[in-house]
Amino acid sequence: MSRSKQRSENPREKTVALHTLGCRLNSSETAMIAQGFVDRGHRIVPFGERADVVFINTCTVTDKADSTCRHLIRKAVRSSPKAKVVVAGCYAQMEAQKLAAMEGVDLVVGNSEKHKVFDYLDKEPQKIVRVRQTDTFWSAHTTAKDHHTRGFLKIQDGCDYVCSFCIIPFARGRSRALPQAVAIRKAQEMAREGFKEIVLTGVNIGEYESKTKERLGDLLSGLARIKGLDRIRLSSVEPNTITDELLDIMSLSPKFQDHFHIPLQSGSDSILKAMRRKYDVKTYRQVIEKIKTKYPHAGIGADIIAGFPGESEEDFESTFKLLEELPVTHFHVFPYSKRQKTTAAKLPEQIPYAVKKKRVQALLSLGEKKFLDLAKARVGKETSVLFEKRNPAGKWEGYSSNFIRVAVDSKENLANQILRVRPTTLGKGAHGEWTLECF
């Protein structure tokens, strides 16, 4: 008897466990998949518990991401040996047959096919691989049933850039966008569902352009007028797409938070050129300085790749020095990882792992210092926080406008409330992360 027939004869409620790796774009898509399961009568259970279906939305930006995906698949098969195991997303797009060959995997779906997962699950339980790449845009956003306070709204997908190290254009296809009117309507729906903050997600949202030629600034102007939507954040935005006009539009409304994520990758012009980035160090510096002029207390994140092929000690020191000087406060550091089909994977002068590891650690240490400088400056200063949930210590936690974790001891239910608080100290919180505490 097939596994599907065994389950169909079982009268108990069907369950699904979901896990997301990678970016906020993946999170928004998993949210829509989760909603689809709920609408079809499934109850969501924590990943690792026994379930009828396990859905893993994967990432493939680094070797480590690939390894983590395989580990999670094996964990899912152990915890739910009779489940239908679905592997979706970027790693599924790039390594479909390898994943399909793993024990217990029933369905592999790429990025253009993941929203059709329910159609495939209705079929008989033989292995199914669907990774056809298309340029069709399918929308996704967090729903009220996803139990998140901050909502993710997917406005863009794919990328037309040809950065030499990046596999994402192969995994996600060409750049395409949600029509502005549809994006505003979905944001309105999210506000009516109770979301006070939304995060705009995509692969390259700075290149957002609808079919009727509205750009990101046009969309932001429309979103700022939505009643009930109090806070808006942008996910990662390429520095070459941050114009004076865009910053002017954002500064006109208090809804836009003083938190930015501007990928750097390297502080060496020669390495940026080898990476095929669309800016140089001077341009990056000017963008950060403009942001700080508009938002003096901004938290600014940056992606940095350590050990790109050919990166000399001088190149690395240029990156380190630049980050020391600039008010970048949230570091996302990655050792360079070879990705199939990319130009950089074929470059000579690949950097030894030990050297990459040393450079990563140096950057992480600098990043912690820069973050602490930002957080310490907020001690004793009033700050606006959207509270989300209680932490393991029983305190209410949320994030400040510039994305610092804040905790407050309160017997009241502060979930989804935006409050102005005055932190009194900074310390390692219940999660082991630096947290502003209010006593």
Side-chain angles (χ1 to χ4, degrees), residues 206-435:
E207 292 290 354
Y208 173 90
E209 183 174 359
S210 68
K211 290 183 178 179
T212 48
K213 301 303 179 183
E214 291 97 350
R215 301 302 303 269
L216 181 59
D218 302 312
L219 175 59
L220 297 186
S221 294
L223 292 172
R225 293 191 288 270
I226 296 176
K227 292 182 179 180
L229 180 59
D230 298 320
R231 290 160 57 124
I232 304 171
R233 295 186 193 270
L234 307 182
S235 59
S236 181
V237 188
E238 292 291 316
N240 53 288
T241 67
I242 299 178
T243 62
D244 292 344
E245 178 186 11
L246 184 66
L247 291 175
D248 287 342
I249 290 170
M250 295 179 67
S251 65
L252 290 174
S253 172
K255 294 186 177 185
F256 295 104
Q257 303 299 285
D258 54 346
H259 171 231
F260 297 80
H261 190 93
I262 319 295
L264 170 64
Q265 309 304 3
S266 175
S268 162
D269 279 334
S270 63
I271 296 298
L272 288 175
K273 185 176 181 180
M275 289 178 168
R276 296 181 185 163
R277 301 294 283 166
K278 292 181 175 290
Y279 55 88
D280 56 18
V281 170
K282 180 180 178 181
T283 301
Y284 190 89
R285 185 187 292 274
Q286 289 173 341
V287 167
I288 301 302
E289 290 171 349
K290 288 176 183 178
I291 289 173
K292 289 296 283 188
T293 298
K294 298 280 188 183
Y295 299 93
H297 306 297
I300 302 176
D303 295 330
I304 309 115
I305 295 176
F308 184 82
E311 182 187 67
S312 66
E313 283 296 330
E314 291 75 19
D315 292 324
F316 174 72
E317 286 301 323
S318 294
T319 300
F320 193 92
K321 186 176 183 225
L322 178 67
L323 289 166
E324 269 189 319
E325 295 172 352
L326 291 179
V328 176
T329 55
H330 296 66
F331 285 30
H332 296 254
V333 186
F334 306 90
Y336 168 73
S337 183
K338 282 186 178 182
R339 301 286 79 194
Q340 62 168 312
K341 298 186 178 181
T342 63
T343 304
K346 304 172 186 175
L347 290 176
E349 298 183 76
Q350 297 286 329
I351 307 299
Y353 172 75
V355 175
K356 289 190 286 188
K357 182 178 180 181
K358 181 180 178 181
R359 292 175 182 177
V360 165
Q361 289 303 317
L363 289 169
L364 288 175
S365 296
L366 175 62
E368 182 172 35
K369 178 181 180 299
K370 298 295 292 290
F371 177 79
L372 283 174
D373 289 343
L374 175 72
K376 287 175 182 177
R378 302 312 300 163
V379 174
K381 307 286 177 56
E382 194 175 74
T383 187
S384 175
V385 179
L386 172 61
F387 287 98
E388 301 182 6
K389 59 185 178 181
R390 289 190 186 275
N391 66 23
K395 295 182 179 181
W396 283 98
E397 278 192 349
Y399 284 92
S400 65
S401 60
N402 57 358
F403 214 64
I404 303 172
R405 189 189 293 268
V406 180
V408 61
D409 197 2
S410 176
K411 294 180 180 179
E412 297 180 25
N413 184 350
L414 303 185
N416 205 32
Q417 292 191 47
I418 299 174
L419 302 173
R420 297 195 70 83
V421 299
R422 194 181 299 274
T424 54
T425 187
L426 173 68
K428 287 292 183 74
H431 302 278
E433 299 178 12
W434 289 107
T435 303

Side-chain angles (χ1 to χ4, degrees), residues 60 66 90-101 108 131 340:
T60 190
D66 291 353
C90 291
Y91 191 27
Q93 187 73 47
M94 302 307 299
E95 294 285 1
Q97 297 304 324
K98 178 185 289 187
L99 293 172
V108 179
V131 290
Q340 62 168 312

